[in-house]
Amino acid sequence: AQKITQTQPGMFVQEKEAVTLDCTYDTSDQSYGLFWYKQPSSGEMIFLIYQGSYDEQNATEGRYSLNFQKARKSANLVISASQLGDSAMYFCAMRGSLIQGAQKLVFGQGTRLTINP
Amino acid sequence: EPEVTQTPSHQVTQMGQEVILRCVPISNHLYFYWYRQILGQKVEFLVSFYNNEISEKSEIFDDQFSVERPDGSNFTLKIRSTKLEDSAMYFCASSRGEQYFGPGTRLTVT
């Protein structure tokens, strides 16, 4: 069974600082995918970044990067130069083997990030 | 940019009533999903759908739930006899690779 653990229920950072949101995972699959989603107070789920288990380089998307450490089974999200609009709930999620077609996402409990001006 | 849409955005229903939540996935996506999120909790998988049949379902997805793709564009979730504990945000998602989520339908059962 797959499991995602996010150990930080809440994070508070000053605007313009970088922030790292922790995510560890557990799976027996050799091939898997890791995702981060942002959920603002309005409730929608916004896809941020994806990392495949065989990707050799860490994924980056603008101010978002994923610090993927396979041996440690961690996939931390790094947000550089944080902005007030980054205040939201952030979920780490995992998808299992890519060869099995439709694959459910397993989510962590989430981290509520608050950016202070 | 293509997006997943869901209707209604908010549904209030009485316990025991049937509800149908509607989704229009991204047009070239092949896989479709429903998830739910009880207020303040994590997002939970309900069901995945591919090639006009259920690929996988969770233990939450019991006999009161059903899904259908009645035409080439819509994907629906039906809850036959709603319970108070069905109150949640229901998300539809679609994918070819990464999953893209709709804005959600907030279901309130009274």
Side-chain angles (χ1 to χ4, degrees):
Chain A
Q2 297 167 333
K3 186 177 180 182
I4 293 284
T5 302
Q6 294 179 254
T7 57
Q8 306 153 311
M11 288 276 288
F12 296 84
V13 299
Q14 290 297 121
E15 192 179 7
K16 299 181 185 176
E17 289 183 354
V19 57
T20 298
L21 305 182
D22 295 341
C23 172
T24 58
Y25 61 91
D26 191 23
T27 181
S28 56
D29 289 335
Q30 294 300 307
S31 176
Y32 51 88
L34 295 154
F35 300 78
W36 278 92
Y37 287 86
K38 173 184 179 181
Q39 187 178 44
S41 56
S42 51
E44 71 266 35
M45 295 287 286
I46 302 167
F47 166 73
L48 295 178
I49 196 166
Y50 166 78
Q51 179 85 42
S53 57
Y54 290 118
D55 294 342
E56 294 189 351
Q57 292 198 335
N58 286 342
T60 60
E61 289 285 349
R63 293 186 300 113
Y64 304 109
S65 60
L66 200 152
N67 184 3
F68 181 47
Q69 298 191 39
K70 198 169 182 177
R72 294 185 178 183
K73 293 190 174 179
S74 74
N76 299 338
L77 177 71
V78 180
I79 305 174
S80 62
S82 58
Q83 302 171 356
L84 295 178
D86 294 333
S87 293
M89 196 76 166
Y90 288 80
F91 290 98
C92 181
M94 160 179 274
R95 180 184 64 199
S97 172
L98 298 175
I99 63 173
Q100 294 181 22
Q103 279 293 294
K104 68 182 182 186
L105 292 180
V106 174
F107 284 82
Q109 290 290 120
T111 296
R112 183 167 298 284
L113 176 64
T114 303
I115 308 298
N116 295 315
Chain B
E1 185 173 323
E3 59 183 18
V4 178
T5 59
Q6 289 186 245
T7 54
S9 57
H10 192 182
Q11 173 97 42
V12 180
T13 190
Q14 288 191 327
M15 193 168 54
Q17 296 295 305
E18 175 183 287
V19 294
I20 298 176
L21 310 183
R22 291 183 167 80
C23 169
V24 179
I26 294 173
S27 62
N28 64 348
H29 283 187
L30 303 175
Y31 305 102
F32 314 112
Y33 311 81
W34 284 100
Y35 294 83
R36 80 171 186 191
Q37 184 183 29
I38 295 171
L39 187 64
Q41 298 186 21
K42 67 179 179 181
V43 179
E44 301 173 289
F45 169 78
L46 291 178
V47 66
S48 59
F49 192 86
Y50 169 69
N51 201 25
N52 286 320
E53 60 183 25
I54 291 174
S55 303
E56 186 177 1
K57 59 184 181 180
S58 72
E59 62 274 9
I60 302 169
F61 194 88
D62 61 22
D63 291 345
Q64 70 164 340
F65 291 93
S66 63
V67 290
E68 197 175 43
R69 189 156 162 82
D71 52 43
S73 59
N74 290 286
F75 180 50
T76 61
L77 174 70
K78 182 192 291 186
I79 309 175
R80 260 179 273 282
S81 178
T82 50
K83 305 171 191 170
L84 294 176
E85 54 265 37
D86 293 328
S87 294
M89 182 76 101
Y90 287 81
F91 291 103
C92 173
S94 70
S95 75
R96 286 182 71 97
E98 296 84 1
Q99 287 187 30
Y100 288 86
F101 282 70
T105 293
R106 184 168 298 284
L107 176 66
T108 303
V109 182
T110 61

